[in-house]
Amino acid sequence: FTGEAPSLVSRAGRHTMQRLVPRPSARVSSASQRRPPVDAARLLTPSKALPSTSHACAVPVRKPASDFHLRRGRVIDVLRESYPRLFQERPDMSIYARNIVCFRADGGGPRVRGIAAYTRMFDALHLSRRTMVAAAELQHRLHVCDDDTIRVRWAAKIWLRLPLPRASPLHVDGVSVYLLDSNARVVVHRLEFVDVLHDGRSAAEGAAQPLAGPLPLPLVSCGREGDSRLPLRGAG
């Protein structure tokens, strides 16, 4: 009797647990089998369109700069950095095309063709600066007119060594127009305006001037960053 008591107690416990836990109804299980499967994608899709965000909160999308505009920006940087030192050192020649052409708009003067001849033009300028010029100053203003056009208004004051050093400066004003090719390299350097003044008079006003400078040409403004006709000369 003592050996069968635990087994009887365990059987009574299992019977009690089965009565406490309800069995699933056959009616409920059959209803769940007839229920269609749930579409997860449908639950994630809103039933109504969400209201559009305000224009004030919209963030503008900026298009990345093209390779042309990036190279054009470098050309602009080189021109701005090289003009103040034009009498002392050669600019970065990598911004110029190998078939570059430099000429005056009125047809006067020599026409420089090719990167080799264009480089020699700067070397001749530096040689003149060392041998014939006592001092020189150069100011400039740069205007970006179009995607492929850059206009620079420049003004130089030059003190010649002869007859007397720093006697009176020679003023040379000009406008250089740089045209870019499809690779954003300078392919044309055109002088649209050049005027030489000595003692406040233009060299073209009379033959009495010892230095016969080029005839002045009308200045064509590109209409950007103010009036490019503003004087650039300093005092005296």
Side-chain angles (χ1 to χ4, degrees):
F1 176 76
T2 55
E4 295 179 359
S7 62
L8 292 175
V9 174
S10 61
R11 284 198 298 269
R14 287 196 298 268
H15 180 70
T16 303
M17 293 298 296
Q18 291 175 359
R19 293 181 60 185
L20 293 177
V21 178
R23 294 181 180 181
S25 175
R27 186 178 180 179
V28 174
S29 61
S30 61
S32 62
Q33 293 177 0
R34 292 195 301 269
R35 184 179 301 171
V38 179
D39 189 359
R42 186 178 179 181
L43 293 177
L44 297 176
T45 305
S47 58
K48 295 183 180 180
L50 296 176
S52 60
T53 57
S54 174
H55 294 287
C57 299
V59 178
V61 179
R62 295 183 178 180
K63 296 182 179 180
S66 63
D67 293 340
F68 177 86
H69 289 89
L70 291 176
R71 287 191 290 264
R72 187 192 66 175
R74 182 175 179 275
V75 172
I76 294 172
D77 292 339
V78 170
L79 290 176
R80 283 175 174 169
E81 294 174 1
S82 62
Y83 257 90
R85 303 191 298 267
L86 202 61
F87 288 109
Q88 287 80 24
E89 60 186 43
R90 185 190 302 170
D92 186 356
M93 305 304 295
S94 63
I95 66 172
Y96 301 99
R98 297 185 62 84
N99 58 338
I100 184 175
V101 180
C102 180
F103 59 92
R104 279 175 45 175
D106 63 347
R111 181 179 290 256
V112 179
R113 296 180 180 272
I115 188 64
Y118 192 71
T119 304
R120 289 194 297 268
M121 182 181 69
F122 288 103
D123 296 339
L125 176 64
H126 299 158
L127 179 62
S128 301
R129 168 67 179 86
R130 293 191 299 267
T131 58
M132 300 175 59
V133 176
E137 298 178 0
L138 183 63
Q139 302 177 11
H140 77 284
R141 290 179 182 174
L142 187 147
H143 307 268
V144 180
C145 299
D146 298 309
D147 281 349
D148 58 351
T149 305
I150 301 172
R151 190 183 302 268
V152 179
R153 171 74 185 268
W154 49 269
K157 289 197 301 183
I158 302 173
W159 286 267
L160 300 177
R161 294 185 183 275
L162 298 175
L164 295 175
R166 303 184 66 90
S168 59
L170 179 70
H171 297 272
V172 183
D173 294 355
V175 174
S176 293
V177 178
Y178 299 90
L179 302 181
L180 309 181
D181 60 10
S182 59
N183 294 321
R185 295 182 183 273
V186 179
V187 68
V188 173
H189 178 185
R190 183 176 67 242
L191 292 171
E192 288 192 349
F193 175 87
V194 177
D195 191 15
V196 180
L197 295 94
H198 188 65
D199 292 333
R201 295 183 57 192
S202 174
E205 292 179 1
Q209 295 293 335
L211 296 175
L215 295 177
L217 298 175
L219 176 62
V220 181
S221 174
C222 63
R224 299 288 182 87
E225 300 181 14
D227 189 1
S228 60
R229 291 177 181 268
L230 294 176
L232 293 177
R233 298 194 193 96

